[in-house]
């Protein structure tokens, strides 16, 4: 793999996140600035297999930095799990002369990139685009800030009505395997309890505390639950209703609104920096890494490490939750 990279492909893969467009724009414009040909690959790895590949110009990415979603579309691609599918993908890239790839996506997409780069002589650079912030080795991922702000805005509104009626509200946010959206949005909205997959939930403790609060006539309680934790918000609400039948308990599942919308300024900046750094990696032969930001500096982590490790939730966060909600 000592040949110079001259033509690069960029794709968005897996779950979408706000700011992916800003990252595509950065990759395309940086590539063109450094005299590379840049190709957009549609619908993630599926576009590589179906040869759905288009030449990008600087103007192809005009007026998209502020748009949610991804102009290249995204998706999950079963065929890419098979060696035959990946070989087809490789042959299509070769047809276009593409000899470097930038993959904007989550840890699953990086796993695909890792497998592909082991098999073929096309270097891959990952750019972490995921609302879950579940990739170890970077302080930020593209889309997390926007998703959390969307959740906070929605929870603030629910709090108004919850407070007016003295209700208990259980709000479910996204993050099946990662509690960061729940943790950050819960702290930022003053939630009494935050349930995340990384931590054991003491449901008995929560129920006893609610009963004690009922005795003190503190009837308003906000519980933020990460999707899938303890069976989700409905299960948590049912457990409360069983123990406190006289209380009004309501559920709200925020769902896909957390994936959409115009990216925050922060996500646009992170996406711009990471997209730029990804092309730099290809130019400097720093292959098969993903770009992260640690302590406000660019960081380059081998793809296989992204695949092995998960972002952990520090005990400091849990302490803050406990103390500030008491
Ligand atoms: P995300 O990138 O958001 O975590 P997924 O986990 O769904 O999303 O992964 C996106 C795509 O990456 C999958 O649909 C598949 O095409 C590819 N992929 C994931 N894991 C592998 C793997 N082990 N081998 C080959 N391709 C993979």
């Amino acid at each position: 793999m000592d040949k110079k990279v001259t033509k690069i492909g960029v794709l968005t893969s897996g779950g979408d996140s706000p700011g992916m467009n800003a990252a595509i724009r950065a990759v395309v414009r940086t590539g063109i600035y450094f005299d590379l040909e840049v190709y957009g690959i549609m619908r993630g790895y599926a576009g590589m297999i179906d040869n759905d590949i288009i030449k990008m110009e600087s103007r192809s990415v005009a007026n998209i930095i502020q748009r949610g979603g991804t102009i290249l579309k995204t998706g999950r691609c079963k065929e890419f799990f098979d060696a035959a599918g990946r070989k087809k993908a490789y042959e299509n890239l070769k047809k276009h002369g593409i000899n470097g790839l930038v993959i904007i996506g989550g840890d699953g997409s990086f796993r695909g990139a890792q497998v592909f780069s082991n098999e073929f002589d096309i270097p891959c650079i990952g750019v972490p685009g995921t609302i879950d912030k579940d990739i170890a080795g970077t302080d930020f991922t593209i889309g997390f800030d926007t998703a959390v702000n969307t959740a906070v805005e929605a929870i603030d509104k629910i709090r108004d009505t919850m407070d007016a009626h003295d209700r208990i509200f259980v709000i479910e946010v996204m993050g099946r395997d990662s509690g960061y959206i729940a943790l950050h949005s819960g702290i930022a909205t003053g939630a009494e309890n935050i349930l995340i997959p990384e931590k054991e939930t003491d449901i008995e403790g929560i129920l006893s505390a609610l009963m004690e609060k009922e005795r003190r006539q503190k009837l308003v309680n906000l519980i933020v639950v990460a999707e899938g934790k303890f069976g989700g918000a409905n299960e948590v609400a049912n457990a409360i209703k069983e123990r406190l039948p006289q209380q009004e308990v309501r559920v709200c599942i925020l769902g896909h609104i957390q994936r959409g919308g115009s990216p925050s300024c922060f996500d646009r900046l992170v996406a711009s920096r990471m997209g730029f750094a990804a092309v730099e990696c290809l130019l400097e032969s720093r292959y098969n890494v993903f770009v992260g930001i640690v302590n406000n500096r660019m960081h380059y982590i081998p793809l296989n490490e992204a695949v092995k490790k998960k972002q952990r939730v520090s005990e400091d966060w849990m302490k803050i939750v406990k103390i500030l909600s008491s």
Side-chain angles (χ1 to χ4, degrees), residues 12-16 20 43-46 49 74-82 86 103-116 129-132 134-135 259 307 310:
T12 45
S13 165
D16 59 318
M20 279 183 157
R43 298 173 287 109
Y45 293 119
I49 293 174
T74 185
R76 301 196 156 92
C77 174
K78 266 202 191 144
E79 260 189 285
F80 204 72
F81 284 95
D82 299 328
R86 293 193 295 274
I103 295 104
I104 305 163
D107 61 342
S109 301
F110 290 180
R111 213 166 289 130
Q114 161 75 7
V115 174
F116 187 75
T130 161
I131 61 166
D132 291 335
D134 57 350
I135 297 177
R259 282 201 186 277
V307 170
K310 278 262 169 205

Side-chain angles (χ1 to χ4, degrees), residues 128-310:
T130 161
I131 61 166
D132 291 335
K133 201 168 98 75
D134 57 350
I135 297 177
T138 180
D139 293 344
F140 311 116
T141 62
I142 299 164
F144 174 73
D145 184 65
T146 309
V148 161
N149 277 295
T150 301
V152 165
E153 203 184 323
I155 297 170
D156 281 348
K157 287 180 179 159
I158 292 166
R159 203 181 243 294
D160 289 346
T161 162
M162 175 181 111
D163 194 57
H165 286 275
D166 276 343
R167 280 177 177 146
I168 295 175
F169 243 97
V170 187
I171 301 179
E172 185 176 306
V173 298
M174 279 193 163
R176 192 163 292 123
D177 305 310
S178 163
Y180 269 99
I181 296 181
L183 189 63
H184 285 215
S185 65
I187 291 173
T189 54
E192 272 76 11
N193 298 100
I194 303 171
L195 278 54
I196 59 172
E198 292 87 345
K199 297 283 161 196
E200 207 47 50
T201 299
D202 174 17
I203 192 75
E204 273 309 314
I206 293 173
L207 294 173
S208 314
L210 285 172
M211 286 163 78
E212 204 278 315
K213 282 176 187 168
E214 190 182 51
R215 276 192 287 279
R216 286 192 277 126
Q217 285 296 297
K218 186 193 181 302
L219 303 175
V220 174
N221 271 285
L222 172 61
I223 302 172
V224 175
V225 187
E227 170 191 18
K229 178 70 187 173
F230 198 75
N234 280 313
E235 290 275 315
V236 175
N238 287 341
I240 298 170
K241 277 182 208 158
E242 218 166 84
R243 196 68 65 84
L244 297 123
Q246 62 291 355
Q247 284 249 20
E248 280 206 67
V249 186
R250 293 284 189 276
V251 168
C252 181
I253 297 172
L254 295 187
H256 282 77
I257 59 162
Q258 293 159 94
R259 282 201 186 277
S262 184
S264 65
C265 170
F266 189 80
D267 275 333
R268 295 180 204 189
L269 294 179
V270 168
S272 300
R273 288 176 76 184
M274 288 183 172
F276 173 83
V279 177
E280 261 193 345
C281 282
L282 287 173
L283 291 168
E284 292 167 2
S285 308
R286 201 189 300 238
Y287 294 156
N288 306 324
V289 295
F290 81 92
V291 293
I293 297 177
V294 176
N295 295 332
N296 207 25
R297 300 178 77 111
M298 298 318 294
H299 226 71
Y300 309 95
I301 306 100
L303 276 175
N304 58 356
E305 285 193 20
V307 170
K308 270 192 285 190
K309 288 189 209 146
K310 278 262 169 205

